[in-house]
Amino acid sequence: MNRIEEVLKGIRPEFDFTKSQDFISDGMLDSFDVVTLVSELDRTYGISIEGTDILPENVQSIDAIRRLLRKYGVAP
Amino acid sequence: MTAGSVLEAFARVKSGGGGFLTNFYATPDIVDRWATRGSLRLLELEGAVLLLRRDQDFDHLSYAATDLPRLTEALRAPALAGDTLTADLIGRESDLGRVVGAFETAEFHRHTSLVRLTRMADPAFPDDYSDSQVVSGRREDGPAVQAFLARLLDRFAEQLPEVDEIEAAAERGNLLLERRGADLGGVLLFEATGQTAVLRYWFVNDRFRDQGIGARLIKTFFRTCRSSRRIVLWVIADNHDSIAKYGHYRFRPEGLVDHVMIRKGERLA
């Protein structure tokens, strides 16, 4: 399991995030989880994700999160 | 005010450096609905932003702040004087103490607390469960359902849905009822998104208790949401009877709490 999956599992252990391309539409993350996820990504990778990037489309899949992290200089 | 301007104000606090504290979790479509109703006020302050959403005779308060002192200072803003305000502080109990303290410093007190319960799918639940006494609500049930809920809800802690929300739920098939003549015997309203369903309201009319209405409603709900992997709900933390009932149906605490803070203004003090 990679670190992104570990972070996601830490928030919602009951879901298999590798099988979804849209965590929001699939009901795996709600709006509260999105804010929690951004905080966890900040803490895990030592970055500060901008408020304007806290959007569902930036965290709706593992690929989307990977792209978001790359924007902050992280190579997950 | 538009949803975009609200979201940009919150983003400015996040981008301002330092930390970021918030209780603002609304999605853009929800903010858009509030903005369309004209029920929002936005206060931008040094290192903080407050969003006030009007509800009957008080305001729900959402905030973002770079740190606790800025939050406390914002909560004491003269522009808020005299208003009755409530705020939902949601998180793990271990993470909330300092934020609750900041609100208490600003003369809020804890009105009540809610806990979130989760039920994972039960593969043994029969797919063909049905009961002819439970029916799907219709759009025209909206006003009666709202009046029914208004009599039962703690208005500061449990948000009374607007009639148009209830009508929309009925159109989606997310409103279950048992009728008793012209009265409502029980109401269950839910939301379903992908693998998660949210049980928002489940109430039985006091006049028709001990007739199995609640059980029929929730079993119909479980059958309706059988494709949901989990069901979540919020319940008042000291409502032990309800928590026991949810426990009977395999709902378990997941560790999230919502401390409902209130500061009463002059008209409600």
Side-chain angles (χ1 to χ4, degrees), chain B residues 67-225:
Chain B
D67 53 36
L68 287 170
R70 303 278 180 159
L71 172 60
T72 306
E73 198 176 319
L75 294 173
R76 289 171 158 165
L80 301 178
D83 294 335
T84 292
L85 306 172
T86 67
D88 291 88
L89 307 183
I90 300 172
R92 308 272 163 198
E93 184 70 67
S94 55
D95 298 334
L96 287 175
R98 292 187 320 132
V99 180
V100 169
F103 272 76
E104 288 173 342
T105 301
E107 298 178 355
F108 282 74
H109 70 269
R110 199 179 302 191
H111 171 67
T112 191
S113 298
L114 297 96
V115 292
R116 192 155 94 163
L117 307 183
T118 297
R119 177 187 190 271
M120 301 308 293
D122 176 7
F125 189 81
D127 276 350
D128 57 351
Y129 175 84
S130 72
D131 192 293
S132 59
Q133 296 184 74
V134 176
V135 298
S136 294
R138 302 185 297 254
R139 269 188 73 85
E140 51 268 37
D141 291 313
V145 169
Q146 192 199 44
F148 177 85
L149 294 174
R151 289 195 297 272
L152 297 163
L153 298 178
D154 173 342
R155 66 196 185 113
F156 294 125
E158 301 168 296
Q159 296 185 18
L160 182 67
E162 300 284 345
V163 170
D164 62 349
E165 287 179 69
I166 300 168
E167 291 171 344
E171 286 190 338
R172 290 193 299 269
N174 293 356
L175 176 64
L176 302 173
L177 306 175
E178 268 209 33
R179 301 182 197 278
R180 287 292 183 276
D183 289 329
L184 292 171
V187 168
L188 189 151
L189 192 153
F190 66 96
E191 294 165 3
T193 303
Q195 299 185 53
T196 298
V198 180
L199 175 52
R200 289 191 64 190
Y201 308 102
W202 173 37
F203 288 106
V204 173
N205 189 327
D206 277 342
R207 291 167 49 215
F208 305 111
R209 289 215 173 273
D210 302 320
Q211 297 182 16
I213 294 173
R216 286 191 291 274
L217 283 169
I218 202 155
K219 286 178 184 173
T220 303
F221 164 60
F222 290 154
R223 192 256 319 185
T224 305
C225 292

Side-chain angles (χ1 to χ4, degrees), chain B residues 230-245:
Chain B
R230 68 168 182 157
I231 298 169
V232 299
L233 61 87
W234 289 94
V235 60
I236 291 178
D238 61 4
N239 188 345
H240 303 296
D241 288 347
S242 285
I243 291 173
K245 194 173 295 175

Side-chain angles (χ1 to χ4, degrees), chain A residues 25-52:
Chain A
S25 296
D26 288 343
M28 300 164 79
L29 295 180
D30 59 26
S31 53
F32 177 79
D33 296 325
V34 168
V35 177
T36 306
L37 172 60
V38 169
S39 298
E40 284 300 307
L41 293 172
D42 280 358
R43 195 178 58 77
T44 303
Y45 293 99
I47 56 177
S48 179
I49 295 169
E50 299 279 324
T52 46

Side-chain angles (χ1 to χ4, degrees), chain B residues 27-68:
Chain B
T27 53
D29 57 319
I30 290 174
V31 179
D32 198 37
R33 200 169 70 214
W34 294 340
T36 302
R37 286 191 184 130
S39 59
L40 297 179
R41 274 193 296 158
L42 192 65
L43 285 180
E44 290 196 70
L45 303 149
E46 184 68 35
V49 60
L50 304 179
L51 179 68
L52 302 163
R53 178 170 60 84
R54 197 70 183 160
D55 182 349
Q56 303 170 73
D57 53 358
F58 67 100
D59 289 290
H60 296 278
L61 185 152
S62 301
Y63 70 87
T66 53
D67 53 36
L68 287 170

